[in-house]
Each structure stands twice: as C-alpha cells, then as structure tokens.
C-alpha cells in the first residue's frame, strides 16, 4: 500500500488485481516522507531497476513498542505499523480521520471467478490439486477483497477501479491526482498462471458455488455474474 502526501492519495492494495505492478508504478511519484510497504524481493528489484522509491515509513515508532514487541524484535524484526494488504479500517486509524477524509483513496477489484483462478495458480505448485478442492479449502479472505476496501460492510474508499478495464481506470486516477505521467505498469508476478481459458471452462459447479458464496458482496455490488462461453 502507499500513502502519498504530495499528490494526496492512499492506495489500498487488494489481492490478485495487478496490485504489485500498480504499487511499483505509483512509487515513482513518491518521496522520502511518503509511506510504501515492502513487496517481494523479486518485485523490489524491478522497482530499483526503474529507479523508483522503495519501502519506507511503514514501521512503528519505538515509542509504540510493548515488552512483547521488543522480545519479538529478535526473531520477527521491527514492528510494522502498516503492511501490504491492510484493510481500510486499520489504515484510517493509522493516518487519522483528517487525512483519510481529504486524501483520494482507491483500490482495484476483479471478477471473482477469474481472480480465483489466478489465486489458485499463485498458491499451488505442480502437481497441482484439482481447482475445486483448492477453492473449498482456501481461506475466504484470499478469494475476496471485500474486507480490504470496506468498513462495516460499506465501501470506504473514493474509487474502486476494475481490473477488467484497467487502462481506462488508470487514466481516471492519473487525471484525478494530477500525475505528470501515465501509469505504465511493469510486469510483476507474471508467468504463474498457465491456463488462460475462460473461467467457465476451468471452474466446475462446485468451484462456482464456492466463489459465489465467498464473494457474494462484490458480486452484488459490482454486477459480476457467471458467463459461459
């Protein structure tokens, strides 16, 4: 996630929505005073090669440490104030109501059926289990982003872009923030998904039912529905 004080925006990073690529692209507009949470070392390498600002200002000040935090320092590292996929409620509490209400807050969402397949390939290795078995066992918050950008089941951000119209919504964000350059996304986390068939050819009835149950909120909110081809 990113908190940018120059262009006054907060980017909440959702899962399997090109979030890492967008996070890298947004970091080019950041300075030393902004907050950027760490990503995988492979993706941090892409960010460094592009010459963009890296992780900073996400750790908790030592004044916030409890005795257990000091003990954990030796085996878990410094305490984090903010992390990669923190939900809106936590970020709002950290930044305070004034910044939360005056900065432009945004994230991205994705068709839950397509997103579930991406999650499956990201989390499994060969020989992979059947996708319906995986989806039955995976934690719901790995399939649904609803809890990241909502508070008390209400959308808490100013803009929810859609992965399906990524370029159009990136242009909206650029114009809204007054960014001096387009948001050209690098290819981060690419190459994991092997099957590019339409989701209706990949998911069986049990998998569909599981996704519809876990992602009912975003399906209703954004009008996603099962399409067979």
């Amino acid at each position: 996630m990113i908190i940018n004080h120059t262009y006054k925006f907060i980017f909440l990073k959702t899962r399997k929505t090109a979030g890492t690529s967008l996070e890298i692209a947004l970091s080019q507009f950041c300075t030393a005073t902004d907050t950027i949470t760490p990503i995988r070392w492979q993706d941090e390498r892409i960010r460094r090669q592009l010459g963009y600002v890296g992780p900073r200002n996400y750790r908790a000040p030592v004044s916030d440490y409890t005795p257990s935090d000091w003990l954990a320092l030796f085996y878990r590292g410094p305490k984090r104030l903010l992390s990669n996929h923190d939900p809106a409620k936590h970020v709002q509490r950290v930044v305070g109501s004034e910044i939360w209400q005056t900065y432009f807050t945004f994230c991205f969402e994705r068709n839950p059926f397509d997103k579930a397949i991406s999650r499956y390939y990201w989390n499994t290795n060969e020989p992979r289990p059947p996708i319906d078995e995986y989806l039955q066992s995976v934690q719901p918050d790995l399939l649904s982003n609803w809890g990241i950008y909502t508070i008390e089941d209400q959308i808490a951000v100013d803009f929810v872009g859609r992965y399906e119209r990524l370029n159009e919504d990136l242009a909206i964000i650029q114009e809204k923030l007054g960014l001096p350059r387009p948001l050209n996304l690098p290819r981060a986390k690419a190459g994991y998904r092997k099957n590019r068939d339409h989701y209706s050819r990949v998911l069986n009835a049990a998998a569909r039912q599981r996704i519809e149950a876990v992602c009912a909120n975003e399906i209703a909110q954004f009008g996603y529905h099962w399409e067979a081809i």
Side-chain angles (χ1 to χ4, degrees), residues 58-88:
Y58 61 90
R59 293 190 177 99
V62 294
S63 57
D64 288 353
Y65 276 42
T66 64
S68 60
D69 292 328
W70 284 109
L71 180 62
L73 178 66
F74 295 101
Y75 57 91
R76 284 207 304 254
K79 179 181 180 180
R80 294 189 178 191
L81 188 63
L82 291 165
S83 299
N84 219 358
H85 296 291
D86 276 340

Side-chain angles (χ1 to χ4, degrees), residues 16 110 114-115 117-119 121-122 163 187-202 229:
K16 312 313 298 175
R110 181 177 183 177
D114 193 49
K115 183 173 57 181
I117 298 173
S118 180
R119 167 60 62 184
Y121 278 101
W122 175 252
Y163 181 89
R187 286 179 59 80
K189 294 184 177 178
Y192 285 87
R193 181 171 174 176
K194 306 302 181 184
N195 188 336
R196 293 291 174 178
D197 287 345
H198 187 266
Y199 61 76
S200 64
R201 296 178 176 175
V202 178
I229 64 170

Side-chain angles (χ1 to χ4, degrees), residues 7 9 22 25-26 28-29 104 106 108 159 166-185:
Y7 293 96
F9 70 80
L22 182 51
L26 287 168
Q28 68 183 290
F29 305 108
F104 182 69
F106 67 99
F108 273 79
F159 182 72
L166 185 61
N167 291 332
E168 294 89 338
D169 286 350
L170 289 177
I172 291 172
I173 291 168
Q174 181 195 358
E175 181 178 3
K176 175 69 177 179
L177 298 178
L179 301 177
R181 294 178 297 281
L183 284 163
N184 296 318
L185 304 191

